Amino acid sequence: MMMMMMMMMMMVMMMMMMMMMVMMMMMMMMMMMMMMMMIMVMMIRMMMMMMVVVVVAVVTAAKVVIMMNIVKKCI
């Protein structure tokens, strides 16, 4: 009888350990997903900022080119 009880306890402990491991794995996966989402958002923000900077640079360059053409024409 005692042996059976011990075996049952061991089985329950093993099951609990397995459940804990699964929960830990799930938590880790969730954390990783959250991190990936955060990184994606940051990357999108960075891309948007870069796009804005590029647009501004292009506009300024175009303005400078137009001004140079006008100056050349005047000269």
Side-chain angles (χ1 to χ4, degrees):
M1 191 71 175
M2 199 70 171
M3 199 69 169
M4 276 289 274
M5 282 285 278
M6 281 288 277
M7 283 287 276
M8 283 286 279
M9 283 288 275
M10 281 288 278
M11 283 285 278
V12 170
M13 283 287 275
M14 283 287 277
M15 283 285 278
M16 287 281 276
M17 282 289 277
M18 283 289 279
M19 282 287 280
M20 282 285 279
M21 284 286 278
V22 169
M23 284 286 277
M24 283 286 277
M25 284 285 278
M26 285 283 278
M27 284 285 279
M28 283 289 279
M29 285 287 279
M30 283 285 280
M31 285 285 278
M32 284 288 275
M33 286 283 278
M34 286 283 278
M35 283 289 281
M36 287 288 272
M37 285 286 281
M38 286 284 281
I39 288 160
M40 283 287 280
V41 169
M42 285 288 280
M43 285 282 278
I44 288 159
R45 272 189 191 160
M46 283 287 279
M47 288 282 278
M48 289 282 278
M49 286 288 283
M50 285 292 279
M51 284 287 282
V52 168
V53 168
V54 168
V55 167
V56 169
V58 167
V59 169
T60 46
K63 275 183 188 170
V64 168
V65 168
I66 289 158
M67 287 288 282
M68 285 292 280
N69 283 344
I70 289 160
V71 169
K72 275 180 187 166
K73 273 181 190 163
C74 282
I75 290 165

